[in-house]
Amino acid sequence: MDNIGEWRGFRYAMCNESLQNFPLEDQCRVISEAGYQAIEIAPFTLVKKGVQEISSSRRKQILATIRDHGLVCNGLHWLFTPPPHDLHFTTPNKHRRNQSIAYLHELIDFCGDLEGEVMIFGSPQQRSTDGISVDEAKKYFAEGLARVADHARDRDVLLLVEHLDHTQSDVVNTLAEAKEVMDMVGHPAIRMMFDFHNTADETEALAALIRHFYDGIKHVHIQEMDGRHLGTGGAADDFVEAFQALKDLGYNRWISLEVFDFSPGGANIANVSMQVLREIESRLD
């Protein structure tokens, strides 16, 4: 589904790691009952060594469980968070890069088997400069993505470059840099995304950023600016203009709740955040 055209309503997903200590069935129940339409999966929550261990039959079971709760899997995020260990996408070590690219191929198949649409490439620890310059790291980032781009296209998956502020990574800190990497690859399966929490290094307002980079934005992550769940900060007021921009532009792709403080409990995070999302929607023109 494209994100340009007549707006048909926002589609909400919830990332699963705040519920990772519960069986997938319970994760899906909580997410569905709170009003989300999709679950976004962090692969590390499901494996001991890597997604290779998830058999074809188990993948079908996972997909059936998701569907049984009236959800879809909209995609994957935290792609290289261990396990497996020792992955690094922008290292000068060619062997480690090749290992990481090989695992990204595995993740693309896993995402495709779950009928996911997007894969969010954040993974700050696995895309740092690692002793080289930022420009060299960006070059390796683009080269690695280019090597999997056709595979992603064949599985109907978009690989999205995530901007991370400088406190998380020293490679791709702004939307402009995410677009730079995207353009370096120049492939329709390699795009970018927008994350509210990761805009600390930006100089434009949220709505302006969305309008500026909209052509490349194929996914949105949302949380309070400090990474907690919606309702613990000012999102209900501060994000209205950004949501208005998305509506005005006809954004019809996913908005996923991704939080970094799990202490309030997954069900509370899901329900309170959904209340804020509905409040924001109610204030749009």
Side-chain angles (χ1 to χ4, degrees):
M1 180 181 290
D2 203 353
N3 59 321
I4 299 175
E6 181 181 355
W7 185 70
R8 295 184 295 276
F10 294 125
R11 299 189 296 163
Y12 296 120
M14 181 172 172
C15 298
N16 78 315
E17 62 267 27
S18 64
L19 292 156
Q20 64 184 284
N21 294 327
F22 296 92
L24 181 63
E25 292 82 355
D26 291 341
Q27 295 180 31
C28 291
R29 175 184 53 78
V30 168
I31 291 171
S32 177
E33 289 179 353
Y36 301 86
Q37 297 156 284
I39 181 172
E40 185 171 313
I41 291 178
F44 77 88
T45 65
L46 300 179
V47 302
K48 294 182 178 179
K49 295 183 179 179
V51 293
Q52 303 95 318
E53 71 198 50
I54 304 178
S55 66
S56 176
S57 60
R58 177 56 184 152
R59 294 178 189 206
K60 291 176 181 177
Q61 291 173 353
I62 291 171
L63 183 57
T65 297
I66 293 169
R67 288 174 171 171
D68 285 347
H69 289 83
L71 301 172
V72 298
C73 173
N74 68 315
L76 309 178
H77 66 290
W78 285 112
L79 302 181
F80 282 0
T81 299
H85 296 272
D86 204 35
L87 297 179
H88 200 294
F89 208 68
T90 55
T91 177
N93 184 315
K94 186 175 182 179
H95 176 68
R96 286 184 74 193
R97 286 205 317 277
N98 286 338
Q99 283 184 318
S100 302
I101 291 166
Y103 189 65
L104 192 54
H105 277 294
E106 296 282 354
L107 288 169
I108 289 169
D109 280 329
F110 181 55
C111 188
D113 289 345
L114 298 186
E115 300 181 359
E117 299 175 21
V118 296
M119 292 171 54
I120 314 305
F121 202 127
S123 301
Q125 301 302 317
Q126 291 79 31
R127 57 175 246 201
S128 62
T129 50
D130 196 32
I132 59 177
S133 71
V134 172
D135 285 344
E136 288 177 291
K138 287 179 184 176
K139 179 176 71 75
Y140 286 139
F141 202 166
E143 288 177 354
L145 292 174
R147 287 173 58 183
V148 302
D150 284 347
H151 186 193
R153 178 200 59 205
D154 293 344
R155 294 306 309 261
D156 293 322
V157 170
L158 294 177
L159 260 167
L160 307 183
V161 181
E162 182 173 11
H163 56 113
L164 300 169
D165 73 68
H166 71 279
T167 67
Q168 303 175 70
S169 175
D170 57 359
V171 178
V172 184
N173 301 134
T174 64
L175 285 156
E177 289 182 295
K179 184 178 185 302
E180 178 186 356
V181 172
M182 179 187 81
D183 290 344
M184 288 168 69
V185 181
H187 192 288
I190 309 301
R191 310 302 287 168
M192 56 191 286
M193 54 87 69
F194 178 83
D195 189 306
F196 283 82
H197 170 62
N198 292 342
T199 56
D201 293 333
E202 304 285 357
T203 57
E204 293 183 88
L206 298 173
L209 288 167
I210 288 169
R211 294 183 187 278
H212 188 169
F213 294 100
Y214 185 71
D215 287 348
I217 294 171
K218 303 300 178 184
H219 193 65
V220 173
H221 273 169
I222 192 167
Q223 61 293 104
E224 293 285 352
M225 293 301 292
D226 65 359
R228 293 183 297 166
H229 69 278
L230 300 177
T232 58
D237 296 316
D238 298 342
F239 294 174
V240 172
E241 290 186 9
F243 269 68
Q244 186 69 57
L246 289 168
K247 180 180 179 181
D248 292 345
L249 290 162
Y251 181 78
N252 290 307
R253 300 187 67 88
W254 293 101
I255 298 176
S256 287
L257 176 71
E258 182 191 29
V259 304
F260 305 102
D261 176 9
F262 307 155
S263 61
N268 185 56
I269 289 169
N271 286 291
V272 175
S273 296
M274 179 55 70
Q275 292 171 13
V276 174
L277 290 169
R278 296 306 185 198
E279 181 181 349
I280 291 172
E281 273 199 57
S282 73
R283 299 171 63 181
L284 303 182
D285 295 332

